[in-house]
Amino acid sequence: MGALLDFARGPLFRLTFAIMVLGLARLLFLDIIGMYRAYRRTTDKKMPWKLIFSRSFEWFFPVKRVIRERHVYSLLSIVFHIGLIIVPLFFFAHVNLWKEAVGISWPALPYSWAFWLTICTIASALFLLISRLTVKAMRALSLGRDYLWLLLLLVPFVTGFICANVDVGPGSYQVLMLVHVLSAELIFVLIPFSKIAHCVLAPLSQVVCALAWKFPPETDDDICTTLNKKGAPV
Amino acid sequence: MNRVQNTKLVLWLMTGFAAAIALNRYVFGLGVTTNLNDKTPWGFWIGFDVMAGVALAAGGFVTTAIFYIMKREEFHPLVRPAVLTAFLGYLAVVAGLLVDLGLPWNIWHMIIYWNPHSPLFEVGWCVMLYTTVLLLEFSPVPLEESSRYARVRNFLMRFRFPLVLLGIMLSTLHQSSLGTLFLIMPYRLFPLWYSHILPIQFFISAVALGLMMVAFESLISHWLYRREPETPLVGKLCGAAVWVLAVYFIVKMTDIVAAGKFGLIFNGNWQSDLFIVEILVSTLIPMALFAVPKLRRNSKVQWVGSSMVVIGMVLNRIDVGGLAMLDSTASYTPSWMEIAISLGIVSAAALAFLFVTERFHIWEIRPEDPQSLPHTPPSFDYSSRTWLGVPRIASLTKHTLAFVLSFAVGMAFMPGRKLHAEGIDSVTVSRATGIDTLCIDGNRDDQFVEFPHQAHISWIRTHKIPTSPADDTSGFALAGKDSCSVCHHLNLPGERLSECWECHASMYAQADFFRHDWHASPAGAKLKCDDCHTAGVTRTAQSAKKCTACHPFYKFTTIGVGATPAYHILSYTDAMHKMCVSCHVVEAKVVKDKQDLALCTTCHRVGTPPNLRAGMKWDISVPHFDNVVLPDVGLSVK
């Protein structure tokens, strides 16, 4: 068990972490190249930059949405995202691992903050899961993998929380820690190949949208031809 | 099967793997990535990346000389690819140097602080100037793509001839000065390779290699893109190579005979075998093949002959650059990481070559990646059936993925344990031997300390070991058996007298003596986290119980444990120095007639003491270096 844990924390971690970081960088790179090519082809070179920025900004800080429509859902979704990003990055023991392995460190969250933020994240994830299951409109929009993602994201949070706060015996601690590490690594690997890639691609999505409006009119036919589905509705 | 695509895929994989190792080298230093040491500071990277890289780039100046100076118009198709190879070759050399130099960011020093006596000075300047010249020589090619740059291009074209001349001059200097570097090593380099005319030999062989490299490259790129090979033209190159190789052979042999070293060739040791193989592969066999006009016009023979010269001459550079020195340097074998980085640099250069030939007008007919021909069907991703984009993008999509994955594998292969050692090689400590007198030689390098152990038990009487000058060391009385804990300040579970090496297990690097995870593991001490850490508080060193809470008999105070952050233990060397020197410094003032007690020579000895030789396993191949800081106890050692 100890050897397995060492392997998961050593080589496997480096492997999966590198896949995530470089994989995301690669997506960003390919996205920008694709956008550049599309831009070169368009006849109308004027881009509505102002609109793009204000839209992106709105999506990043969806204050309006919280106030106007679906208050609870939007708020919890924000909490979920914040927890998802902050806790893994700034939890003390994680920062410490980096410090010991490569010698770089950054300020860590105080204990109580990490504690409450984790609880909030877990709670909001559960809420999101339940609302996906119960609200009709949301269920219609959800695919199987949307549920799976929520569950998968929950695993490292729950196991990490137990490891950090519950006084379990050394044996079960190791098992929990192994699950914690392995599930996090599974997430790392999947991120650049799934919808979670929006964590780096989101800033570009509005630009992509704006560009899509500028495709020459006959593009849709071309796309259908390329996809071997001539005449299909777009 | 698509040759170009598959070749590129392999090259991307190798580049990605090497990139991970290179990252490792920059973050953690040369110590963890290479097997280089103080005795062998020049290894595979110098031999292969720099020496062979420069020689392989010789095609550039050879072809430009043939075309522009000798005015042999028929070689025109070969000029651009040759200059491109030279340019990329030099960039690869620079990349190799940046990995190999200890502090590559200081390279600008050379430009400002001149040391004209050093051959390295000449080498450095030649690399920098010639790379610039090559850039200027080559840049008209990409510039001709767009009419926007016509002015710049015309400007550059006006200086084409002086640039070519300058390039030839610098190459001549540089190829030979790489040989000059080794003139200062008559005692290192095996006599068969050492020669006073090494610079001249280097130059002549570079010309031959340049010719053959251009031929080889033409063959390989025509094979890759499935086009009709330029057999007649390559045949002419081979014909020229015969003469150059002949000159090389005669010069080399005359020199060897004149120096009376001829007998060494048939000595039968591995160096002489290596020499024979090298001469056969690099010179004699290709020369014989190409000397027959019918053979040298045959494309298969061209393949064999040119690749032999290329391999043979690269071998020659590696021999001179290190292989033929092995007997006089410490045993050094390149680590797999060194080789991976070299292969990665070559792959990256090859990728750049393919990119440029596809993108710009290098060959008469621009080769098309078959994947991007109009009639190829669109490619789809296997798993989710998404379109991968137009062909060029589609291959980029695949190749970048290959890069990412192999980079990740490279990261996984990094030696994890070494990372914690901050670049210091971890050298395992072996126990001291002897009974009444101990021989302390942790790394078994035959430089040891003779420690009168039994005698110390009776000598130690008055002093607490000072950890700072302010420590009150008077009035401490330990003698006989009670004095054990002065040095044996900690016992491992189940032991009564643990020895130094058991915890101070690394010769030069700090180690974790507390073994945190062992304490908390079910196979170890089976403790729960909160047995030591307070619940509800961040788990840190400060908030954890002190060791003495459970191990009351540990004498941490005598030695000042906890002085290192996070319960790290001093390296064996540092611990010994701290223990022995700090007491001796004080005792030297107290004990009569022992003023020398704190001098290095009081303890350090060289050689194996006869009375301790039995039962001792000496392994002198352990890397040795001097990462030693004497303890700062605030007392000056006279």
Side-chain angles (χ1 to χ4, degrees):
Chain A
M1 184 62 83
L4 200 58
L5 197 54
D6 279 347
F7 177 73
R9 283 200 274 210
L12 203 58
F13 173 79
R14 292 197 293 270
L15 180 92
T16 53
F17 194 75
I19 290 184
M20 176 179 74
V21 172
L22 278 193
L24 287 176
R26 160 179 175 267
L27 285 185
L28 209 57
F29 168 73
L30 289 177
D31 218 32
I32 290 174
I33 286 198
M35 268 164 39
Y36 175 69
R37 287 178 65 94
Y39 180 73
R40 270 211 334 201
R41 299 264 189 84
T42 56
T43 38
D44 170 19
K45 298 281 182 209
K46 251 179 72 184
M47 295 284 287
W49 288 118
K50 242 182 161 168
L51 190 68
I52 291 175
F53 277 122
S54 67
R55 283 235 180 103
S56 310
F57 190 78
E58 254 173 55
W59 275 110
F60 273 117
F61 304 97
V63 189
K64 254 193 211 159
R65 252 158 244 277
V66 176
I67 299 170
R68 269 209 227 121
E69 59 215 80
R70 311 192 56 195
H71 322 282
V72 186
Y73 174 83
S74 307
L75 196 70
L76 281 174
S77 164
I78 295 174
V79 170
F80 178 62
H81 277 87
I82 291 179
L84 220 49
I85 295 169
I86 301 281
V87 175
L89 276 180
F90 293 99
F91 179 56
F92 173 81
H94 291 177
V95 177
N96 206 48
L97 284 176
W98 282 98
K99 191 164 122 197
E100 271 169 24
V102 279
I104 48 172
S105 70
W106 49 90
L109 279 181
Y111 175 83
S112 55
W113 287 44
F115 181 87
W116 286 112
L117 203 51
T118 314
I119 290 193
C120 290
T121 316
I122 295 174
S124 58
L126 284 176
F127 171 83
L128 292 179
L129 191 63
I130 292 168
S131 57
R132 251 195 211 283
L133 282 169
T134 50
V135 181
K136 221 182 202 163
M138 283 178 73
R139 202 159 67 198
L141 280 175
S142 308
L143 294 173
R145 54 175 164 229
D146 295 324
Y147 302 106
L148 285 183
W149 259 115
L150 268 174
L151 285 175
L152 180 58
L153 287 174
L154 265 175
V155 175
F157 273 83
V158 172
T159 47
F161 184 80
I162 299 177
C163 284
N165 297 295
V166 183
D167 200 18
V168 292
S172 31
Y173 180 90
Q174 274 200 346
V175 175
L176 282 169
M177 189 41 85
L178 192 67
V179 175
H180 177 74
V181 174
L182 287 180
S183 59
E185 280 163 357
L186 181 61
I187 294 174
F188 286 171
V189 174
L190 291 179
I191 280 179
F193 305 105
S194 66
K195 65 170 191 171
I196 311 294
H198 75 264
C199 58
V200 294
L201 294 184
L204 296 179
S205 64
Q206 295 298 324
V207 189
V208 173
C209 270
L211 271 172
W213 285 112
K214 292 179 182 294
F215 280 166
E218 67 279 9
T219 318
D220 44 0
D221 290 340
D222 284 351
I223 294 177
C224 290
T225 321
T226 325
L227 290 174
N228 245 338
K229 287 185 187 158
K230 209 163 182 173
V234 180
Chain B
M1 286 291 272
N2 183 340
R3 267 181 209 164
V4 188
Q5 286 293 319
N6 291 341
T7 314
K8 281 188 190 167
L9 189 67
V10 173
L11 293 176
W12 274 102
L13 285 173
M14 297 211 289
T15 315
F17 191 76
I21 309 294
L23 181 74
N24 194 14
R25 178 254 171 271
Y26 283 112
V27 176
F28 301 107
L30 289 171
V32 292
T33 27
T34 67
N35 282 347
L36 299 171
N37 51 44
D38 285 351
K39 281 189 192 145
T40 320
W42 283 11
F44 188 70
W45 283 340
I46 294 292
F48 181 75
D49 293 11
V50 178
M51 311 282 295
V54 167
L56 286 174
F61 86 93
V62 176
T63 355
T64 48
I66 295 177
F67 180 69
Y68 289 102
I69 314 261
M70 302 185 195
K71 299 269 183 233
R72 297 287 295 266
E73 299 288 337
E74 72 267 32
F75 286 101
H76 183 251
L78 296 181
V79 175
R80 283 185 169 190
V83 173
L84 175 62
T85 330
F87 181 43
L88 292 175
Y90 267 75
L91 286 186
V93 169
V94 171
L97 272 179
L98 287 184
V99 184
D100 185 64
L101 295 177
L103 306 170
W105 44 89
N106 279 348
I107 189 70
W108 58 269
H109 280 201
M110 201 198 81
I111 306 177
I112 296 176
Y113 310 118
W114 283 29
N115 176 12
H117 298 294
S118 159
L120 271 180
F121 176 77
E122 188 191 343
V123 170
W125 269 104
C126 282
V127 172
M128 285 198 265
L129 289 178
Y130 189 44
T131 313
T132 318
V133 166
L134 279 170
L135 175 68
L136 295 177
E137 228 177 286
F138 183 71
S139 48
V141 177
L143 287 181
E144 78 192 2
E145 291 295 304
S146 159
S147 55
R148 248 187 295 173
Y149 308 114
R151 293 258 300 282
V152 188
R153 188 179 132 77
N154 286 341
F155 179 77
L156 282 174
M157 288 301 274
R158 230 183 305 151
F159 292 100
R160 163 140 282 189
F161 198 68
L163 275 178
V164 166
L165 274 185
L166 194 62
I168 295 172
M169 199 178 81
L170 285 170
S171 286
T172 314
L173 275 174
H174 185 203
Q175 297 287 353
S176 52
S177 64
L178 280 185
T180 319
L181 279 183
F182 292 90
L183 287 185
I184 57 169
M185 305 186 186
Y187 304 109
R188 277 200 163 202
L189 195 53
F190 193 77
L192 276 176
W193 282 275
Y194 184 82
S195 151
H196 296 302
I197 56 164
L198 209 51
I200 297 172
Q201 293 181 357
F202 261 46
F203 176 72
I204 303 174
S205 57
V207 173
L209 179 56
L211 287 170
M212 287 295 85
M213 188 60 197
V214 174
F216 184 67
E217 194 184 278
S218 157
L219 289 168
I220 210 167
S221 40
H222 285 77
W223 173 81
L224 258 187
Y225 292 103
R226 295 178 194 276
R227 294 191 305 150
E228 199 56 36
E230 297 164 314
T231 314
L233 203 54
V234 174
K236 281 185 189 162
L237 287 178
C238 297
V242 173
W243 292 105
V244 186
L245 285 174
V247 173
Y248 174 65
F249 184 69
I250 293 169
V251 167
K252 191 154 182 146
M253 280 307 157
T254 321
D255 178 61
I256 287 180
V257 173
K261 299 177 194 161
F262 191 72
L264 284 178
I265 300 179
F266 304 102
N267 230 356
N269 52 6
W270 68 267
Q271 286 101 337
S272 64
D273 293 344
L274 182 67
F275 184 82
I276 293 173
V277 169
E278 185 202 301
I279 284 287
L280 281 179
V281 173
S282 72
T283 317
L284 281 182
I285 297 179
M287 203 164 77
L289 283 177
F290 291 151
V292 186
K294 213 171 132 199
L295 282 183
R296 72 169 171 254
R297 274 182 232 120
N298 179 328
S299 129
K300 290 222 177 70
V301 178
Q302 290 175 353
W303 266 105
V304 174
S306 62
S307 45
M308 279 181 100
V309 176
V310 169
I311 293 172
M313 289 300 181
V314 166
L315 180 64
N316 170 264
R317 296 306 196 262
I318 291 180
D319 288 344
V320 176
L323 196 56
M325 293 183 201
L326 275 190
D327 267 7
S328 41
T329 55
S331 60
Y332 156 84
T333 35
S335 73
W336 61 269
M337 290 193 265
E338 285 171 73
I339 295 171
I341 287 190
S342 293
L343 288 181
I345 292 175
V346 174
S347 311
L351 276 176
F353 184 83
L354 294 182
F355 173 80
V356 176
T357 45
E358 277 171 26
R359 191 81 178 64
F360 302 112
H361 194 94
I362 302 293
W363 303 98
E364 302 286 80
I365 316 157
R366 182 182 303 192
E368 202 69 51
D369 183 347
Q371 189 76 38
S372 57
L373 294 177
H375 57 75
T376 37
S379 38
F380 289 88
D381 156 24
Y382 300 112
S383 55
S384 52
R385 307 291 303 151
T386 39
W387 184 46
L388 290 177
V390 291
R392 204 181 284 284
I393 298 279
S395 51
L396 196 62
T397 312
K398 285 183 236 161
H399 292 152
T400 46
L401 183 62
F403 179 88
V404 169
L405 292 182
S406 72
F407 184 95
V409 173
M411 292 294 284
F413 266 106
M414 284 192 331
R417 200 164 50 87
K418 278 189 172 179
L419 298 190
H420 299 277
E422 293 170 345
I424 299 174
D425 256 352
S426 72
V427 176
T428 321
V429 171
S430 310
R431 65 189 304 169
T433 47
I435 299 165
D436 285 350
T437 302
L438 295 182
C439 169
I440 303 176
D441 185 0
N443 60 350
R444 294 289 190 260
D445 67 347
D446 242 6
Q447 302 178 0
F448 67 101
V449 160
E450 206 176 0
F451 176 48
H453 181 252
Q454 193 56 43
H456 272 78
I457 295 176
S458 46
W459 284 335
I460 296 173
R461 20 160 228 240
T462 42
H463 294 292
K464 173 191 174 193
I465 295 177
T467 48
S468 82
D471 267 10
D472 178 18
T473 54
S474 59
F476 237 78
L478 284 172
K481 288 260 178 285
D482 292 342
S483 65
C484 299
S485 66
V486 169
C487 298
H488 297 273
H489 50 107
L490 194 154
N491 287 328
L492 290 175
E495 291 188 16
R496 276 198 57 228
L497 279 181
S498 295
E499 295 173 24
C500 315
W501 61 277
E502 295 185 65
C503 296
H504 300 274
S506 177
M507 194 67 190
Y508 305 109
Q510 292 195 351
D512 166 31
F513 85 98
F514 168 50
R515 297 183 303 157
H516 184 269
D517 292 356
W518 178 87
H519 274 94
S521 93
K526 301 196 195 65
L527 293 171
K528 291 192 282 186
C529 308
D530 289 354
D531 288 345
C532 299
H533 293 283
T534 326
V537 190
T538 307
R539 287 170 180 155
T540 61
Q542 288 76 35
S543 64
K545 269 187 199 157
K546 296 284 164 271
C547 307
T548 37
C550 302
H551 308 278
F553 299 114
Y554 283 178
K555 300 281 182 191
F556 292 112
T557 40
T558 37
I559 225 72
V561 173
T564 57
Y567 290 67
H568 280 177
I569 199 170
L570 287 180
S571 72
Y572 192 67
T573 327
D574 289 350
M576 286 298 171
H577 280 150
K578 188 168 180 185
M579 161 87 71
C580 315
V581 180
S582 49
C583 178
H584 278 203
V585 167
V586 177
E587 292 288 342
K589 293 184 190 135
V590 183
V591 185
K592 240 178 55 209
D593 301 334
K594 287 285 173 190
Q595 297 92 331
D596 290 351
L597 214 48
L599 296 188
C600 308
T601 45
T602 305
C603 301
H604 283 282
R605 303 273 178 278
V606 178
T608 316
N611 58 328
L612 300 176
R613 197 171 287 155
M616 205 180 283
K617 207 177 122 267
W618 296 105
D619 178 9
I620 309 186
S621 68
V622 178
H624 173 81
F625 58 24
D626 309 311
N627 192 307
V628 175
V629 185
L630 286 173
D632 177 21
V633 288
L635 305 160
S636 61
V637 182
K638 279 199 207 85

